[in-house]
Amino acid sequence: MPFHTETLFRDDAYLSETEAKVVGVNDRGGVILDRTIFYATSGGQPGDTGHIVRADGTRLAVAATVAGETKDEIIHVPDAGQSLPAVGESVKLAIDWPRRLLLMRMHTACHLLSVVCPFPITGAAVSEDDSRVDFDIPDPSYTKELVTARLLELVNANHPIFIRWITDEDLAANPTLVKSKNVRPPSGTGRIRLVCIGDNAVIDSQPCGGTHVAATGEVGEIHIGKIEKKGRENRRFRIRFGPMPAQ
């Protein structure tokens, strides 16, 4: 039976260290804890890396974090050849914070891109330095230059970003909250997590379980590196940090 890990990152994405207790070690050496700050791979965002520190000071490097039988069971995958902790052992956790912050900034940038390009999303992937969002976009006027300028307007306005919880019924009554054409947010738990941008969510509000910065200004300078044609109307927008290179 899957264990329900308390996912601290869903309420505070800025927690970089915490204490936890080992509740299981699976047959592949994956460590399951009662609570965690490690985000598990989901929704196009990679899982966290970092380390677990045992009571004797031994550091267990975490190479990946994935979901188990459910999204609420978080499995910390250690590098091979390490001594694993025992069930019941108290440990300290530390994520690779610089990497996580890059992913938070990039994931937020993807949300901003979905505001600038209000079209059905057909795919997305977040990484530390180059992320993508795919849209069914019939309008050829959405150029790299135009989209970059509008993204920077949202970044520079430094809009607040916050979490709001709604019910399954609320989501059913507001289907336009879901921007993805192919993926529906998990339902049946009674609660849907919304990531909201702007005062009273005036800029955006959409279901998402990922980690994000607290204000759009923290995203920093970004630009559209390229737009790739993936179908008759499908376009892949690649987001990169830094200023747009000179043409």
Side-chain angles (χ1 to χ4, degrees):
M1 185 168 179
F3 183 81
H4 189 290
T5 307
E6 183 183 357
T7 47
L8 303 179
F9 56 81
R10 286 183 180 156
D11 293 315
D12 185 357
Y14 289 82
L15 276 177
S16 60
E17 297 183 352
T18 195
E19 297 180 350
K21 183 171 288 188
V22 178
V23 296
V25 178
N26 67 23
D27 54 5
R28 296 178 301 281
V31 179
I32 304 168
L33 305 165
D34 64 338
R35 62 207 300 259
T36 191
I37 52 176
F38 282 72
Y39 180 81
T41 300
S42 181
Q45 179 175 332
D48 282 316
T49 58
H51 56 267
I52 296 171
V53 182
R54 301 178 65 183
D56 64 1
T58 303
R59 289 163 60 103
L60 181 71
V62 176
T65 310
V66 298
E69 293 182 39
T70 71
K71 285 184 178 292
D72 291 316
E73 183 181 61
I74 310 298
I75 299 174
H76 307 76
V77 181
D79 278 336
Q82 300 181 99
S83 177
L84 299 176
V87 172
E89 191 172 328
S90 294
V91 295
K92 293 182 179 179
L93 312 181
I95 58 173
D96 180 342
W97 174 247
R99 177 177 179 270
R100 158 69 83 76
L101 184 57
L102 286 172
L103 292 170
M104 287 166 59
R105 292 169 58 201
M106 267 295 193
H107 199 153
T108 304
C110 290
H111 280 235
L112 296 180
L113 180 57
S114 76
V115 173
V116 173
C117 299
F119 302 97
I121 296 171
T122 59
V126 180
S127 74
E128 298 101 307
D129 52 14
D130 184 309
S131 299
R132 66 169 175 84
V133 183
D134 303 344
F135 297 96
D136 273 346
I137 180 167
D139 189 342
S141 70
Y142 283 77
T143 62
K144 290 191 302 182
E145 294 76 15
L146 175 72
V147 173
T148 295
R150 291 184 177 174
L151 282 172
L152 290 176
E153 287 177 6
L154 291 170
V155 170
N156 293 333
N158 202 29
H159 295 290
I161 301 172
F162 61 96
I163 302 301
R164 177 180 289 165
W165 293 89
I166 62 172
T167 66
D168 292 342
E169 292 73 23
D170 291 332
L171 183 64
N174 296 277
T176 56
L177 288 172
V178 180
K179 298 187 178 186
S180 175
K181 188 175 181 179
N182 307 317
V183 180
R184 303 291 299 179
S187 60
T189 63
R191 295 206 313 162
I192 304 290
R193 182 181 186 263
L194 296 183
V195 172
C196 305
I197 303 176
D199 292 322
N200 201 29
V202 67
I203 301 298
D204 191 41
S205 181
Q206 60 179 292
C208 183
T211 59
H212 303 82
V213 290
T216 60
E218 292 184 51
V219 171
E221 190 165 20
I222 51 174
H223 67 276
I224 300 300
K226 62 166 59 174
I227 302 174
E228 302 169 9
K229 187 173 182 179
K230 307 302 288 186
R232 188 167 61 88
E233 291 187 348
N234 197 248
R235 299 291 182 271
R236 173 167 293 173
F237 286 69
R238 292 200 172 274
I239 308 173
R240 294 168 184 162
F241 286 126
M244 179 175 283
Q247 299 298 315

